[in-house]
Amino acid sequence: MNDKEMWNHMAAHYQSTLHAEDESSYPNDLMEALIRKGAAKRGSCAMDIGCGVGKYAVRFAERGCNVHMLDLADEMLRYARENMRPFDVRWTAEECDWERTNVRELRWEKSVDLAFAAMTPAVTGYKGVENMIAVSRRHCFISKFASFHNLMNERVCAALGLETRDGNFDGKLWMELADAVAAMGYFPEITYHDYSWENFLPVDQVVERFFDGYNMRLKDTSENRRNVRDALIPITNAEGIVHEQVRTKAAWIYWDVTIK
């Protein structure tokens, strides 16, 4: 399964949890931080890189911002279009492999007020940062996990004797991205924020996630599926719903391309 296939496979799950954080302060805190910077003004335009199903695109639209959504996975974009239709702002949705995109050929240079990449694998290195700087008239923002603990995944891994990808989910990637910004002559502002959420998911859907290439890589056998299901029993209720709890710390990287 290649990256595009994997994210297309995960799209329905992301759509099902679109509003899972509505009671959390984290998304609102992020948007308020951008507003204080002048990066999410009514009538301004944000490019949401690796937009997924549009979790933040919707929040930009709620605040009267226009949005240009980009994602590698066409199934993610299908959901994103559905989620954006209620809003009376200008928006587009386009399939895009960000770090392989020539923004100059597409005439995207200085086309948006904010280049935004939240918790996405679309931006992983120098080229991704360079493209963000190229398209933005002023504001750039990246968020990455500085630490990540999915208590459900950790429980299953412990029961099966497996290593988990949790603990330091993105390794030092957020540091490397901040270093890339600084190497280009800009001044990254880095802040850290607690970020937690929970989901209530059907047990069959959760079991499937352990074999989709995202959470971990297990050989897909009936025995392994049975073992995963058994490990989930303590957090599965009588209706077959699993309680997933995630505890993370996020690194926010903001910079202004007009200041060098």
Side-chain angles (χ1 to χ4, degrees):
M1 184 181 293
N2 62 35
D3 286 348
K4 181 175 180 177
E5 291 170 337
M6 181 186 76
W7 291 111
N8 276 334
H9 182 72
M10 291 294 293
H13 164 67
Y14 276 81
Q15 178 67 7
S16 72
T17 61
L18 179 67
H19 300 292
E21 299 170 47
D22 283 355
E23 302 303 317
S24 167
S25 66
Y26 176 89
N28 290 329
D29 289 347
L30 192 161
M31 295 304 300
E32 289 303 314
L34 293 174
I35 289 169
R36 288 195 297 272
K37 293 289 187 185
K41 295 178 181 177
R42 180 172 294 275
S44 65
C45 184
M47 181 175 283
D48 189 352
I49 302 157
C51 66
V53 299
K55 179 173 76 172
Y56 281 104
V58 165
R59 287 179 163 87
F60 283 119
E62 287 173 341
R63 289 158 176 81
C65 301
N66 304 311
V67 191
H68 186 25
M69 299 181 293
L70 305 174
D71 203 276
L72 176 67
D74 52 288
E75 189 67 3
M76 290 282 192
L77 290 171
R78 183 178 71 81
Y79 284 116
R81 292 184 183 100
E82 291 179 7
N83 295 328
M84 288 293 287
R85 284 197 177 101
F87 297 100
D88 186 23
V89 298
R90 293 192 303 275
W91 60 266
T92 61
E94 192 166 343
E95 193 173 323
C96 174
D97 186 341
W98 180 246
E99 295 193 334
R100 297 187 180 200
T101 295
N102 188 321
V103 298
R104 290 167 180 80
E105 286 184 358
L106 293 172
R107 299 184 179 179
W108 286 354
E109 288 181 287
K110 305 305 174 192
S111 61
V112 298
D113 301 292
L114 167 66
F116 176 86
M119 300 299 183
T120 172
V123 179
T124 61
Y126 192 95
K127 178 61 176 177
V129 171
E130 184 179 49
N131 274 352
M132 292 180 72
I133 291 167
V135 301
S136 176
R137 291 189 283 261
R138 182 172 180 186
H139 307 280
C140 290
F141 175 88
I142 298 172
S143 65
K144 289 288 185 183
F145 292 116
S147 65
F148 186 101
H149 296 280
N150 184 318
L151 305 183
M152 178 190 75
N153 284 2
E154 291 173 0
R155 177 186 292 272
V156 172
C157 288
L160 275 61
L162 298 169
E163 291 187 6
T164 175
R165 287 181 8 173
D166 296 358
N168 199 14
F169 189 80
D170 270 331
K172 298 188 185 306
L173 180 57
W174 63 272
M175 295 181 188
E176 295 170 3
L177 293 172
D179 287 345
V181 174
M184 295 181 207
Y186 299 95
F187 302 95
E189 175 186 308
I190 304 169
T191 55
Y192 305 93
H193 305 266
D194 292 329
Y195 181 19
S196 301
W197 67 91
E198 60 184 15
N199 295 315
F200 294 89
L201 305 167
V203 66
D204 288 340
Q205 181 179 333
V206 175
V207 171
E208 185 64 31
R209 284 170 57 186
F210 283 90
F211 302 91
D212 62 17
Y214 178 62
N215 284 312
M216 65 179 62
R217 302 190 184 281
L218 277 175
K219 188 175 181 180
D220 192 351
T221 67
S222 57
E223 181 180 4
N224 278 341
R225 284 180 176 266
R226 185 168 57 252
N227 290 338
V228 169
R229 187 178 292 272
D230 289 346
L232 291 168
I233 287 174
I235 53 173
T236 304
N237 67 19
E239 288 73 40
I241 301 299
V242 176
H243 184 195
E244 177 184 39
Q245 297 171 286
V246 186
R247 305 287 180 261
T248 83
K249 189 172 288 291
W252 293 358
I253 306 168
Y254 168 85
W255 71 101
D256 184 332
V257 301
T258 68
I259 301 174
K260 292 188 81 169

